[in-house]
Amino acid sequence: MHIPDGYLSPQTSAVFGAAMLPLWWQSARRVKKVVKSRYVPLVALGAAFSFVVMMFNIPIPDGTTAHAVGGGLIAILLGPWAACIAVSIALLIQALFFGDGGILAFPANAFNMAVVLPFVAYGVYRLLTRNTALTSSRRVWAGAVGAYAGLNASALAAAVEFGVQPDLFHKADGTPLYAPFHLSQTIPAMMLAHLVVAGVVEGVLTGGVVAYLQRANVPLLRINAPEVPLTAAETQRRPVSPLRAALVTLGIMAVISPLGLLAPGGAFGEDAPEDLDLAKYHLGAVPEGLQKYTDFWGSTLLPDYGGGSWWQYILSALIGVVVVAGLVFGVTWLIGRLRGGEREAADLDSPPVHS
């Protein structure tokens, strides 16, 4: 689902950049309201989890690959605005350090996976869990359904973004300048992979974590649902430390991350424009814009997470986890400082109150 550079026109990227700026700003404003400072480590863990889970490429029968994102789970636990920050940071590090997704295409990727996915997932989850206890079994399947819907909505958005390129941006003779795939090709290819495989993985993953937390840490489920009262039995349960459990899980996922190397091929020739089946798309050469912008960012630390080496894949996972988590702490610290400055300025502008 990561869109590389060159497949979207610069104009398309600019539109998504303009759309994402106010969304990121709003996320920064909301994240301090939804997630208290003592929950910042959970946002960092959520971003690190999203980073690692996106490394697990799943082979699809038609020769493409797909992956889960984890955005629905973060939205359920911490809210969709926190998920927007967490997944955006994970995507940014993937693009900058590992070449997974483009720099120019980063706003579009963030819109798809850090906005569409978590907001759809959270909306479905909230709709299906009205008036239910935190330990209700309905929350398990609601989390699974919401995450499944969110991932597929995200995939559909990416398919549409790909599919409109040849109609909007082409030469006088109709030759596409960027992605040469039409909606009739992108929608079936993307939706098959995500409806049948990746969406199921995202749903099972999310529902499984919700079920685990119902037994191990109900208060964690209540962070984003403070209006739901705890029963006497839930109050008496001693919660398992989410930090310890999450760190163990991340460590295991990082070690087994080379399983993603088992997935052959890439969707729409995303590994390199030269991999495109030009005859299939009635092209004599790689589209000019695609060829021009495909190497826009050539400073990746470990391209493709090490290019096929299992130990470099693990190293990439570990580096990514540390950098993503550290950047989340830095961003949330900066947000806190900026909001503190806003409050100080508001206090200075307010007239003195005399008792």
Side-chain angles (χ1 to χ4, degrees), residues 19-90:
M20 284 305 301
L21 286 175
L23 291 172
W24 282 321
W25 175 255
Q26 186 67 3
S27 296
R29 291 176 60 86
R30 291 292 190 96
V31 75
K32 290 295 289 185
K33 297 179 181 179
V34 176
V35 182
K36 298 179 181 179
S37 59
R38 63 193 178 103
Y39 294 132
V40 168
L42 296 179
V43 182
L45 288 171
F49 171 77
S50 178
F51 175 90
V52 176
V53 81
M54 284 191 278
M55 293 180 66
F56 285 86
N57 291 312
I58 307 165
I60 306 298
D62 65 351
T64 64
T65 61
H67 59 78
V69 175
L73 176 61
I74 303 171
I76 290 170
L77 298 181
L78 302 174
W81 294 107
C84 180
I85 292 287
V87 178
S88 292
I89 288 176

Side-chain angles (χ1 to χ4, degrees), residues 92-263:
L92 179 63
I93 297 305
Q94 286 179 324
L96 285 174
F97 284 26
F98 307 105
D100 194 2
I103 297 298
L104 294 176
F106 168 63
N109 286 325
F111 177 80
N112 299 337
M113 288 181 271
V115 175
V116 174
L117 193 164
F119 277 90
V120 170
Y122 184 66
V124 172
Y125 174 78
R126 285 298 299 267
L127 181 66
L128 297 176
T129 56
R130 288 180 177 178
N131 304 317
T132 60
L134 291 174
T135 52
S136 169
S137 60
R138 192 196 302 181
R139 289 187 178 267
V140 175
W141 63 261
V145 171
Y148 178 86
L151 189 75
N152 280 286
S154 176
L156 179 60
V160 171
E161 292 154 18
F162 271 131
V164 299
Q165 294 301 305
D167 293 323
L168 296 177
F169 306 99
H170 53 77
K171 293 183 178 180
D173 62 358
T175 302
L177 289 172
Y178 304 99
F181 329 108
H182 292 271
L183 290 172
S184 60
Q185 298 163 320
T186 60
I187 291 179
M190 288 292 288
M191 299 319 296
L192 170 67
H194 293 85
L195 284 169
V196 177
V197 181
V200 175
V201 174
E202 183 92 7
V204 170
L205 181 68
T206 303
V209 173
V210 171
Y212 168 76
L213 292 176
Q214 286 181 332
R215 298 190 303 272
N217 198 320
V218 175
L220 188 55
L221 289 173
R222 198 167 182 256
I223 292 175
N224 197 40
E227 74 284 355
V228 181
L230 293 175
T231 64
E234 292 169 349
T235 305
Q236 293 173 359
R237 293 181 184 177
R238 184 177 180 180
V240 174
S241 169
L243 183 61
R244 182 186 306 170
L247 288 175
V248 171
T249 301
L250 282 175
I252 294 173
M253 291 176 64
V255 171
I256 66 174
S257 61
L259 290 174
L261 296 173
L262 298 177

